Amino acid sequence: MSRFAFLKAVLGPLMRLMFRPRVEGAEGIPGSGPVILAGNHLTFIDSVILPLVCDRQVFFIGKDEYVTGKGIKGRLMAWFFTGVGMIPVDRDGGRGGVAALMTGRRVLEEGKVFGIYPEGTRSPDGRLYRGRTGIARLALMTGAPVVPFAMIGTDRIQPGGKGLPRPGRVAVRFGEPLEFTRYEGMDRDRYVLRAVTDEVMSEVMRLSGQEYVDIYATKAKSAA
């Protein structure tokens, strides 16, 4: 049994008891081949719930600080996060974005599922912010379909993204796969990249019911 299967078997019942997740549309996720899951990001617990409600293992980028802690606690955190599919990347450096993009490409070229939050960071106020075009580059470079998803209610069970989550009802909604093979070879055209990204974010907005803000979340946070 893989670490992921073990963690899902152990944590799945606990998660269902604590969060009573309502999952909609997961049957639309292709059962094989590369897939990009792209959705909103409300709080830290999103990255724990998403892998546990999907039949296929979801790989995603996470801060390397989650796996570099010292002592028993640090080793347990590293074991858990890498077990659920997190790939640690130093995103703070000047080449952090490139490293994350190349990591996602490698995962997809291996025929796996890659999860991404196009906003680039957690929403500061529960609204949906402008998507960054890395999602579009990944889709066009690999030909992988994009399945939009929406996390609903996770910010209520873990406000601010810190501390232990409290019991409460959450939902995860998946949309129909989006294909962008018509733009093959255009992964450096910034107008195409923006159009693809906006199409994905429009679906995320429809699924989540969030108010959309046409600025980057990082800019909103810095202005606060």
Side-chain angles (χ1 to χ4, degrees), residues 31-188:
S32 61
V35 181
I36 300 171
L37 299 183
N40 60 335
H41 194 14
L42 297 173
T43 190
F44 176 81
I45 199 70
D46 295 340
S47 297
V48 176
I49 291 177
L50 178 63
L52 293 176
V53 300
C54 294
D55 290 336
R56 297 178 64 186
Q57 183 168 9
V58 181
F59 294 87
F60 55 95
I61 297 297
K63 296 179 181 179
D64 60 352
E65 65 190 58
Y66 294 144
V67 300
T68 56
K70 305 296 183 183
I72 295 176
K73 180 180 178 181
R75 289 194 293 271
L76 284 174
M77 287 182 62
W79 183 85
F80 171 78
F81 284 116
T82 56
V84 296
M86 193 197 88
I87 302 172
V89 170
D90 181 3
R91 298 181 302 175
D92 295 329
R95 297 182 58 82
V98 174
L101 186 68
M102 291 302 102
T103 299
R105 181 176 185 175
R106 174 175 58 80
V107 168
L108 293 167
E109 289 177 343
E110 292 173 355
K112 298 175 181 177
V113 181
F114 185 69
I116 186 171
Y117 303 114
E119 292 169 281
T121 187
R122 293 193 295 265
S123 171
D125 54 17
R127 296 184 295 176
L128 185 69
Y129 284 80
R130 194 179 201 208
R132 296 189 176 274
T133 57
I135 171 67
R137 290 199 64 191
L138 276 177
L140 300 191
M141 286 190 298
T142 63
V146 178
V147 175
F149 71 88
M151 309 297 296
I152 300 170
T154 54
D155 53 339
R156 293 195 300 271
I157 65 173
Q158 193 183 36
K162 298 180 180 180
L164 293 175
R166 59 199 183 200
R169 191 73 185 267
V170 302
V172 187
R173 292 178 183 158
F174 295 94
E176 293 294 321
L178 303 174
E179 294 280 354
F180 296 105
T181 52
R182 62 189 182 277
Y183 296 123
E184 183 179 0
M186 304 177 71
D187 59 279
R188 294 189 178 277

Side-chain angles (χ1 to χ4, degrees), residues 193-214:
L193 294 177
R194 175 46 55 192
V196 169
T197 302
D198 287 348
E199 183 175 340
V200 172
M201 297 308 290
S202 177
E203 280 299 293
V204 174
M205 179 179 67
R206 182 184 66 81
L207 292 166
S208 69
Q210 290 170 281
E211 177 186 348
Y212 180 74
V213 185
D214 196 24

